[in-house]
Amino acid sequence: MVKSTSKEISDKNENASNVQQFLTFVLNDETYGVGILHIREIIEYDNLTVVPLMPDFISGVINLRGNVVPVVNLARRFEHESKEIGKRTSIIIIDIKDAEGEAVEVGMVVDIVNEVIELASSDIAAAPTFGAKIRTEFIQGMGKIDDKLMILLDVNHVLSITDLSDLSDVVAELNLPSVE
């Protein structure tokens, strides 16, 4: 029987608490990650209702169990061309914080959902100050996987507070239930 010292047990517990899990997905042939604590669910891309006068990066809204959920096309949000909707196109439903700190559901259109990975804190580098293909305030950090880097998104900044306010105003004008 192998016995562990209290220091070894402490080190194992410390390492476990320094590990974060991320859902990885592909968008325009680039792999991104989102912390799983923000993920509500993943659904098939279907039944999207286009709402007039919305910003270009808002694909529309979906009815998710009676709640109106705005859906963001991440490619357009990052000011990239979006790919054609395919069999593996999905909507990731995430919880983000609004101006009052309340949780709001928002969908993100992605090309392919991959897998959940674990990254130790030591495998997460700070967000770059330049050179990224997206706005730096959208980046939580860079995940190091083998010899590759993956952009880890800060979902609370992918939609700014102003954007959330605009969404609430449009939904209110449509006499739909509020997204907040």
Side-chain angles (χ1 to χ4, degrees):
M1 182 169 148
V2 177
K3 293 185 178 179
S4 297
T5 66
S6 60
K7 179 174 177 8
E8 289 171 333
I9 292 171
S10 174
D11 288 347
K12 285 180 185 176
N13 289 338
E14 189 175 306
N15 287 340
S17 66
N18 288 332
V19 172
Q20 297 179 51
Q21 293 183 318
F22 294 89
L23 175 70
T24 61
F25 59 89
V26 176
L27 187 66
N28 286 341
D29 301 320
E30 185 83 31
T31 302
Y32 295 89
V34 172
I36 62 162
L37 297 179
H38 295 285
I39 308 281
R40 173 76 48 109
E41 63 186 289
I42 302 166
I43 60 175
E44 183 180 342
Y45 185 94
D46 194 27
N47 295 327
L48 199 66
T49 302
V50 176
V51 180
L53 304 176
M54 295 297 283
D56 181 49
F57 61 87
I58 304 293
S59 294
V61 295
I62 57 171
N63 180 348
L64 188 63
R65 289 181 290 285
N67 294 323
V68 176
V69 178
V71 178
V72 175
N73 183 312
L74 275 185
R76 284 192 245 142
R77 179 66 171 142
F78 298 158
E79 299 178 7
H80 298 155
E81 290 292 320
S82 57
K83 285 192 170 184
E84 193 171 310
I85 303 301
K87 291 180 181 178
R88 296 189 64 191
T89 302
S90 300
I91 299 174
I92 301 172
I93 306 298
I94 60 170
D95 285 327
I96 60 172
K97 302 289 184 201
D98 67 7
E100 288 81 36
E102 297 291 320
V104 177
E105 288 183 334
V106 177
M108 301 187 312
V109 177
V110 300
D111 298 335
I112 299 169
V113 174
N114 280 341
E115 63 184 338
V116 173
I117 61 166
E118 292 185 342
L119 291 176
S121 296
S122 59
D123 291 330
I124 300 174
T129 55
F130 63 91
K133 295 180 181 177
I134 63 174
R135 292 178 13 196
T136 55
E137 68 262 24
F138 292 168
I139 302 174
Q140 172 186 334
M142 301 297 292
K144 300 175 198 172
I145 304 171
D146 299 322
D147 294 333
K148 297 180 181 178
L149 289 175
M150 173 181 52
I151 295 174
L152 305 175
L153 295 177
D154 183 340
V155 294
N156 287 315
H157 285 97
V158 169
L159 277 182
S160 70
I161 293 168
T162 304
D163 296 332
L164 286 174
S165 173
D166 292 346
L167 287 175
S168 296
D169 292 345
V170 170
V171 169
E173 287 175 19
L174 293 171
N175 268 339
L176 296 173
S178 176
V179 294
E180 296 184 312

